[in-house]
Amino acid sequence: MKLLGSFLLDFDIISPKDLADVMVEQIRQTPNSLDILYEKALITPEQFLSIVSLQNDEHLDLCSACIRLDIWRNDFFDVINEEVGKRRSTLGRLLVEKGLIEPHVLLPILKQYHVYRAENNNDFALFSENTLLDLNESEAEETAPNVHFDPDFSLIQSNDFSDYIDLFSEEKEIELELVILAIEALGSDKNEADPEELLNQFFTDYHSLKGTARTAGALLTENLIHESEDLLTFFKRFLHKINNADFAALAAINLKVLDVLSNLRNEMISSGAEEHYWAHAESREKYLKTLGDIKRFNEDMENRGFEVNLEDVQELF
């Protein structure tokens, strides 16, 4: 399976030199694992020196050297991954920050990359018990819950979306897309990311968007994010019971949510109101179908004994 960098080269929107330069920058931002353990006081100065000496003498990786010295702990991986995630920017963000790719150019390519990954991953977009999520449109329409949502736009007291539009920028959309792809990768045996950290990050971003949307009077946006938060609550509360296909399903649903949120934001910019989005039958159907997918996944989780209210676990986030 191609990495994102190779995928971008195929579109001929970045030169090999620029891509290599950005990847070198990304590598430079990656802290040394041994340094992290020492900075976090997880190893003593004497242990640090012993590890360096053993690595130099026998050309061992950090884990092997620590095991040889009887120093290694299983939580070292979690600490290292968390710190790397804090200090190292994603490839997409670096490309945008350096002005090598415009956000509006990168975003659709990221979505195509996601489709490519889905086509090369048989577990992608599957619920537990092999319930298909939109791989068969006709079947999905037959099994999707009947969702009723009737927003009352007359209750809106504010129609100033400027703060929300600033928060949910194209750059932020790219950032969320990359987080979703990282969540999808949690189902891979080779993944070393911390699921709890990723879910925390995603929930925090969603919660900020929802609060700003509520203040702005964006009823459709607030409702969709609120429903999506329930899924994240299930995953956070029952993380020890989640299987690989669940992460793929969560990613698939939230990519659809992100697409609808993007459409809603663009409508706010162009017409100054969500009501125009709702007035279009095709847009309204897409919105309700996304809500239906969320509800279907919620029901699937509940059928497996996962039942929790957001308020009950708010402190977990």
Side-chain angles (χ1 to χ4, degrees):
M1 185 181 295
K2 291 182 180 179
L3 297 176
L4 176 59
S6 299
F7 203 76
L8 293 172
L9 288 176
D10 289 344
F11 279 85
D12 198 27
I13 61 171
I14 186 172
S15 69
K17 181 182 184 304
D18 285 340
L19 178 61
D21 288 345
V22 170
M23 293 181 71
V24 168
E25 175 66 22
Q26 190 180 39
I27 293 172
R28 286 174 178 165
Q29 291 181 358
T30 305
N32 181 277
S33 298
L34 180 57
D35 294 347
I36 292 174
L37 296 180
Y38 183 68
E39 291 170 3
K40 296 291 184 180
L42 295 175
I43 56 176
T44 65
E46 292 77 15
Q47 289 173 328
F48 177 92
L49 295 174
S50 297
I51 293 170
V52 171
S53 178
L54 185 58
Q55 285 185 304
N56 181 66
D57 292 342
E58 301 192 22
H59 307 289
L60 298 176
D61 60 69
L62 175 61
C63 182
S64 298
C66 288
I67 291 174
R68 181 80 65 84
L69 295 168
D70 198 24
I71 295 173
W72 185 257
R73 289 170 20 197
N74 290 333
D75 63 334
F76 281 1
F77 270 134
D78 294 335
V79 173
I80 292 170
N81 288 331
E82 179 180 359
E83 199 63 25
V84 169
K86 290 178 181 178
R87 301 189 197 180
R88 185 179 68 182
S89 295
T90 62
L91 181 63
R93 179 180 293 180
L94 282 173
L95 290 170
V96 171
E97 288 177 351
K98 292 183 175 297
L100 296 173
I101 299 180
E102 291 295 324
H104 71 276
V105 174
L106 179 59
L107 188 58
I109 294 177
L110 281 175
K111 292 180 178 179
Q112 291 185 53
Y113 179 63
H114 169 74
V115 172
Y116 161 77
R117 287 169 60 95
E119 291 174 346
N120 288 274
N121 181 353
N122 291 332
D123 285 337
F124 183 78
L126 293 177
F127 284 156
S128 61
E129 309 300 332
N130 294 321
T131 303
L132 292 178
L133 172 64
D134 272 353
L135 295 185
N136 184 321
E137 289 292 337
S138 60
E139 181 179 346
E141 290 175 1
E142 292 175 1
T143 59
N146 190 15
V147 175
H148 297 284
F149 180 64
D150 188 18
D152 188 353
F153 294 102
S154 66
L155 298 176
I156 298 176
Q157 297 180 352
S158 171
N159 241 354
D160 182 4
F161 299 121
S162 57
D163 287 343
Y164 177 79
I165 292 171
D166 287 342
L167 181 61
F168 188 39
S169 61
E170 289 184 329
E171 290 83 357
K172 187 63 177 180
E173 186 177 353
I174 291 173
E175 181 181 327
L176 288 173
E177 177 120 14
L178 292 172
V179 173
I180 293 172
L181 291 176
I183 290 174
E184 178 210 344
L186 291 174
S188 169
D189 293 335
K190 297 180 180 179
N191 177 72
E192 295 182 353
D194 182 354
E196 186 172 359
E197 181 183 351
L198 272 177
L199 293 176
N200 278 340
Q201 177 185 349
F202 198 41
F203 186 92
T204 299
D205 286 336
Y206 260 7
H207 208 60
S208 297
L209 289 175
K210 186 182 76 170
T212 309
R214 180 190 298 118
T215 302
L219 294 180
L220 300 179
T221 297
E222 179 191 354
N223 178 68
L224 184 59
I225 296 176
H226 175 74
E227 295 294 333
S228 301
E229 282 181 333
D230 286 348
L231 281 182
L232 295 177
T233 303
F234 275 122
F235 274 71
K236 179 70 174 180
R237 179 67 178 84
F238 298 103
L239 190 58
H240 61 292
K241 296 183 179 180
I242 298 300
N243 59 46
N244 291 356
D246 291 329
F247 287 119
L250 181 67
I253 286 178
N254 278 284
L255 280 171
K256 295 181 68 175
V257 170
L258 191 61
D259 186 45
V260 173
L261 292 178
S262 178
N263 295 154
L264 285 166
R265 179 201 58 209
N266 294 340
E267 187 63 48
M268 295 177 198
I269 295 173
S270 62
S271 69
E274 285 187 321
E275 192 170 356
H276 293 276
Y277 174 95
W278 193 251
H280 290 88
E282 184 176 346
S283 298
R284 184 169 61 251
E285 181 181 352
K286 181 178 181 180
Y287 183 95
L288 292 174
K289 191 174 186 306
T290 303
L291 283 182
D293 287 336
I294 295 172
K295 183 175 178 60
R296 188 152 54 102
F297 197 10
N298 265 317
E299 290 178 351
D300 178 73
M301 301 288 279
E302 290 174 355
N303 289 337
R304 285 189 283 153
F306 300 164
E307 187 171 359
V308 64
N309 294 320
L310 180 62
E311 292 76 13
D312 295 336
V313 292
Q314 191 74 45
E315 70 279 359
L316 293 176
F317 298 94

